[in-house]
Amino acid sequence: MNLHHLAPFASGAISVDFDLTFLAQLVLFTFFILLLKPLLFDPLLRVFEERERRIDGAKAEAREMDEEAGALLTRYEQELEKIQQEAGQERERLRREAAALEAKVLAEAREETARFLEQGKARIATEVAQMRKELAEAQPALAAEIASRVLGREVRS
């Protein structure tokens, strides 16, 4: 095994020769940098900056939309609560009106029933009085007829 060509590396010393190839590579590198900077690097940096600007704008717009949505949600909840309160008040008002109407209808029904009962009692009293009168008028004739049937002969009053 021949290790002579590795001897400089083994000693830990690195030697760099500055000759014309190094100078040519430096010139070419500088030329390419100067050539590619306006053609490639500057447009690419502008694209990156534009993208960054658009991202920041989109983030700001998203924050604004989020804040607006929060405000709309708050307003919606307030309006909903207001409407629910108004609906509750309206429901209570209607309940009171219905209770008052029910009480009125029941009172009218009671009055009508009382009036109907009074008329019925008056009619019955009139009919009873009429029957008593008729019975009083027919009493002598009935008594004579009953006595005739009991006695088996005709009795005159």
Side-chain angles (χ1 to χ4, degrees), residues 10-99:
S11 67
I14 297 175
S15 66
V16 177
D17 292 333
F18 290 104
D19 58 359
L20 286 178
T21 57
F22 175 75
L23 193 59
Q25 288 176 352
L26 184 65
V27 169
L28 282 174
F29 180 76
T30 306
F31 172 73
F32 282 126
I33 291 293
L34 292 175
L35 177 69
L36 292 177
K37 185 178 184 303
L39 295 176
L40 179 67
F41 296 134
D42 289 344
L44 193 59
L45 288 174
R46 279 195 299 274
V47 167
F48 288 154
E49 288 171 2
E50 178 68 21
R51 188 173 78 182
E52 187 72 25
R53 187 183 59 77
R54 286 186 181 181
I55 289 173
D56 290 342
K59 285 180 181 178
E61 186 177 337
R63 274 191 299 273
E64 289 174 10
M65 291 173 74
D66 191 37
E67 290 171 1
E68 185 178 330
L72 286 173
L73 179 62
T74 303
R75 196 171 88 212
Y76 168 77
E77 288 172 348
Q78 289 171 348
E79 288 293 322
L80 184 62
E81 184 177 331
K82 179 182 172 186
I83 288 170
Q84 287 174 343
Q85 288 176 351
E86 289 174 359
Q89 292 170 352
E90 183 68 16
R91 198 173 26 251
E92 188 58 36
R93 184 187 65 79
L94 290 174
R95 192 174 294 132
R96 283 192 308 270
E97 287 179 5

Side-chain angles (χ1 to χ4, degrees), residues 119-142:
Q119 289 174 351
K121 286 179 183 178
R123 192 174 336 124
I124 289 173
T126 304
E127 288 177 8
V128 166
Q130 181 69 27
M131 285 183 181
R132 282 186 181 158
K133 181 181 171 188
E134 289 173 3
L135 189 59
E137 290 173 358
Q139 187 176 9
L142 283 174

